[in-house]
Amino acid sequence: MRILNTLILVAALTTASAETAFENAMSEALTTYSEARSIEQLTASANQFQRIANAEKQEWLPKYYFALANIRLGFITGKDGAQCDAYLDIAQKSIDEMLILQPKESEVYALQSMLHTARLVVDPMSRGQQMMMKSGQAIQTALALNPKNPRAQYLLLSNEVGQAQFFGKDVAEYCPRIAELNS
């Protein structure tokens, strides 16, 4: 009986220690991410999340932030279509892994929408129709899973404003919805 109790205690302590290590690693990586202002800093942040994701294969959050960092890198390098697409391809692999781990997580679909928008920005004339459709589908899935997801609501509104601007429409009609989202 004493051996069994000792084994249970060791197992509990090991689990608690592992959770603490994961939480500490994520906290440090999130700090690095929030302070990243350059391509080099953002790349370093992405690498931190990738290391955590490789160590914690069943956790979706490090994959999320790894993909998010690469999507940001894609937006930053958007004028260089090949470089942007390379970052977005990396992010897509991470999103695909998250969809296996968390197929009902609204945030994953919101992130997918951001990725499609980043692809559109590379070449709106040739990619616009296809990427807007994909982005919209991902947002609709995100909102179906969680209608109150503020990121998905923001992305939907952002896409609508972007489309209006692209087609030369007045965006004033969106102001009340923007104010509502910001309140």
Side-chain angles (χ1 to χ4, degrees), residues 21-160:
F22 170 72
E23 290 169 1
N24 288 342
M26 283 297 293
S27 178
E28 183 180 316
L30 286 167
T31 298
T32 302
Y33 176 80
S34 70
E35 295 171 355
R37 300 290 178 262
S38 67
I39 290 175
E40 294 76 19
Q41 292 170 330
L42 203 48
T43 300
S45 172
N47 291 339
Q48 278 183 287
F49 287 117
Q50 184 178 36
R51 284 189 296 276
I52 298 168
N54 288 340
E56 303 288 340
K57 297 198 184 301
Q58 294 307 308
E59 295 287 346
W60 70 278
L61 278 176
K63 295 176 190 323
Y64 176 89
Y65 284 102
F66 174 70
L68 182 59
N70 278 287
I71 291 169
R72 277 186 61 196
L73 286 162
F75 275 114
I76 291 169
T77 61
K79 292 182 188 208
D80 179 350
Q83 183 64 55
C84 176
D85 282 338
Y87 285 122
L88 298 177
D89 290 344
I90 292 167
Q92 184 63 60
K93 288 178 187 175
S94 189
I95 291 171
D96 292 342
E97 291 173 9
M98 282 186 284
L99 287 171
I100 292 168
L101 289 174
Q102 293 290 328
K104 301 280 188 209
E105 177 55 56
S106 176
E107 281 297 318
V108 177
Y109 292 95
L111 193 62
Q112 181 71 73
S113 174
M114 288 175 66
L115 184 139
H116 292 314
T117 300
R119 287 204 193 275
L120 179 151
V121 170
V122 170
D123 185 357
M125 294 308 287
S126 68
R127 295 181 178 188
Q129 186 174 4
Q130 180 186 24
M131 290 300 123
M132 280 307 296
M133 183 179 71
K134 287 183 174 188
S135 179
Q137 289 170 341
I139 291 171
Q140 292 307 320
T141 302
L143 290 170
L145 291 169
N146 180 2
K148 295 183 180 189
N149 180 331
R151 188 178 332 273
Q153 291 175 358
Y154 170 79
L155 290 169
L156 175 63
L157 186 54
S158 177
N159 283 355
E160 289 174 0

